[in-house]
Amino acid sequence: MKMIIAVIQDKDSQKLLNKLVDNNFRATKLASTGGFLKSGNTTFMIGTEDIRVDKCLQIIKESCQSRQQLVAPVSPMGGNADSYVPYPVEIEVGGATVFVLPIENFLQF
């Protein structure tokens, strides 16, 4: 048995949840916050049999697309902010960060 932990953008969470349910995967959905952009993320914890891991990863990959987004850089700390002009920077966001962990024991009460 494996535990799949997938950290995705909030925008993709409902689409992923629907596809997981359609394919008989049981998941726990948690609200989380990203460290880089400090924006909302969703973390899914999915327990599944070893033979279904590839199918689950395929669903995550298809549901969580990366996209370009403009962000305003944070002003410098301790420096002269008068000469600092923040220009939006285009970065790639989205997709998924996925961890697959072995499960030694699974209990359900």
Side-chain angles (χ1 to χ4, degrees), residues 28-50:
T28 299
K29 179 179 162 184
L30 305 169
S32 54
T33 304
F36 178 61
L37 296 176
K38 296 178 179 45
S39 61
N41 288 331
T42 301
T43 300
F44 281 89
M45 296 186 342
I46 307 156
T48 189
E49 299 84 11
D50 291 352

Side-chain angles (χ1 to χ4, degrees), residues 4 17 19-28 46-49 51-57 59:
I4 299 171
L17 183 60
K19 284 190 176 184
L20 288 171
V21 169
D22 290 346
N23 286 274
N24 297 317
F25 285 100
R26 294 169 50 170
T28 299
I46 307 156
T48 189
E49 299 84 11
I51 60 171
R52 298 192 68 209
V53 169
D54 289 337
K55 177 64 176 173
C56 187
L57 294 176
I59 292 168

Side-chain angles (χ1 to χ4, degrees), residues 69-86:
Q69 178 178 323
L70 288 174
V71 296
V74 179
S75 63
M77 298 296 285
N80 184 357
D82 295 337
S83 62
Y84 177 73
V85 180

